[in-house]
Amino acid sequence: MLHLRLIVPADRTDEVVALLEKTVGTAHLVVLAGAARSPAGDVITCDVAREAGDGVLRELRERGIDDCGSIAVEHIDLSLSKRAVKAEEDAPGEGADAVLWEQLSDATHEESTLTITYIAFLTLATMIAACGVVLDNAILIVGAMAVGPEFGPLAGICTAVVQRAPRLAWRSLVALIGGFAVAMVLTVGFSYFMDAVGLFTSKQAEGARPNTSFIWQPDLMSFVVAFLAGIAGTLSLTSSKSGALVGVAISVTTVPAASNAAVAFIYGDYDQTWGSSSQLLVNLAGIVLAGTLTLVAQKSLWARQRGRERAAVREG
């Protein structure tokens, strides 16, 4: 269930209440007349089944409630109410399959912005991975993959394509390309420093590394894994399954590929640099393609589901 908290101008309260009352899947409607001060107006709260949430939010925004008032959404972890159970039963479809496009757009907006924090996490992840590739240590590689925040802008690109949001697409591309560029340049400097103090050596970097050699040897399997990870990552975002997203992060060699390209570059091993860069591009392309197709499929399936429900209501 979702909890909506709305601030509505007093002269539009009846309109919003009527909308919420006629929406299948709502419960616990409360109106607090004159309770809001900034902006001034009435406070309306109600619980909405997740599968009905996207429709309600879309209608509220079409009516301009976000401009003249406020719309806030919270997830309810536990609701002990027969009315809530009935609301979920009456709402079309299953909550786990529903996509809250407004929430997805908001989440990807935050995660796909080129900020100092984003660059810091991506750079630290790339440096950790650099240590992992030089030491041929798979544990460090996995740790670096979990730290990397690059799935945010990748999801932003997918969402922007499906929602036709050019600003989100541009912001995500800037974060993705700019973030990796900065992280790789800083990792080159880090690698030079580690070599200068004797912690990195050319013998380590160019020797046999059975645990990490896959990083600079892209093949069809690399694309397959990235494609599957893109599907899983997108589903984890739309269903709010953060645990699954962590699994996605440690299954795709984006950060390790960027780090290996930086390390190989300082030792003049341009074959490894090119191979690692190709691995990075293959993984990014696979995730974006899979994520976009997943969102398109979800949007299409949900639209058909809503269409069947509306048809059933008309016939009834």
Side-chain angles (χ1 to χ4, degrees):
M1 293 289 288
L2 304 172
H3 180 69
L4 298 186
R5 187 184 72 250
L6 313 175
I7 297 178
V8 181
D11 61 345
R12 303 196 62 186
T13 297
D14 291 342
E15 173 191 352
V16 172
V17 169
L19 168 65
L20 296 175
E21 286 181 334
K22 77 174 184 180
T23 299
V24 176
T26 61
H28 311 141
L29 178 62
V30 176
V31 179
L32 303 174
R37 291 294 179 266
S38 180
D42 300 337
V43 174
I44 302 174
T45 68
C46 75
D47 296 339
V48 183
R50 179 182 172 86
E51 50 269 43
D54 187 64
V56 171
L57 292 175
R58 184 174 60 253
E59 296 231 26
L60 288 170
R61 295 200 67 183
E62 288 176 354
R63 285 168 166 77
I65 301 303
D66 53 326
D67 292 325
C68 63
S70 170
I71 303 172
V73 183
E74 298 175 341
H75 285 273
I76 300 176
D77 294 326
L78 177 64
S79 180
L80 303 178
S81 165
K82 289 184 178 180
R83 290 180 179 274
V85 173
K86 187 177 186 306
E88 290 184 320
E89 291 175 348
D90 291 343
E94 295 294 332
D97 297 332
V99 179
L100 296 177
W101 291 100
E102 296 293 343
Q103 181 189 46
L104 181 61
S105 298
D106 184 69
T108 52
H109 177 278
E110 181 179 352
E111 298 295 330
S112 62
T113 303
L114 188 63
T115 63
I116 294 176
T117 301
Y118 170 82
I119 292 175
F121 270 113
L122 189 56
T123 300
L124 290 170
T126 307
M127 290 179 177
I128 293 171
C131 296
V133 297
V134 170
L135 298 175
D136 195 35
N137 188 315
I139 295 176
L140 290 178
I141 295 295
V142 171
M145 294 159 87
V147 172
E150 72 280 5
F151 194 84
L154 289 170
I157 293 172
C158 300
T159 304
V161 171
V162 176
Q163 293 291 83
R164 298 178 182 178
R167 290 186 180 180
L168 177 59
W170 174 249
R171 183 169 52 250
S172 301
L173 282 171
V174 169
L176 186 67
I177 298 173
F180 269 111
V182 172
M184 291 173 73
V185 168
L186 292 177
T187 302
V188 167
F190 171 75
S191 301
Y192 273 121
F193 170 77
M194 295 293 281
D195 179 76
V197 299
L199 295 177
F200 284 5
T201 65
S202 59
K203 183 177 180 180
Q204 287 175 306
E206 298 175 2
R209 286 183 278 156
N211 293 323
T212 57
S213 60
F214 67 93
I215 292 173
W216 69 88
Q217 298 174 357
D219 53 20
L220 183 59
M221 187 59 70
S222 300
F223 181 82
V224 170
V225 172
F227 190 87
L228 296 175
I231 297 174
T234 303
L235 290 175
S236 72
L237 282 179
T238 57
S239 61
S240 300
K241 302 293 185 182
S242 58
L245 189 57
V246 173
V248 170
I250 61 176
S251 64
V252 184
T253 54
T254 49
V255 166
S259 67
N260 195 79
V263 172
F265 178 81
I266 74 163
Y267 291 116
D269 190 341
Y270 301 121
D271 287 338
Q272 271 198 43
T273 300
W274 172 250
S276 300
S277 299
S278 300
Q279 178 78 275
L280 175 61
L281 293 175
V282 165
N283 279 274
L284 295 179
I287 293 173
V288 170
L289 178 61
T292 302
L293 292 177
T294 300
L295 289 177
V296 168
Q298 287 181 294
K299 192 172 185 177
S300 175
L301 290 173
W302 193 251
R304 291 181 182 179
Q305 173 71 27
R306 295 299 296 270
R308 287 195 295 267
E309 292 291 337
R310 292 193 185 99
V313 170
R314 287 195 295 269
E315 291 175 0

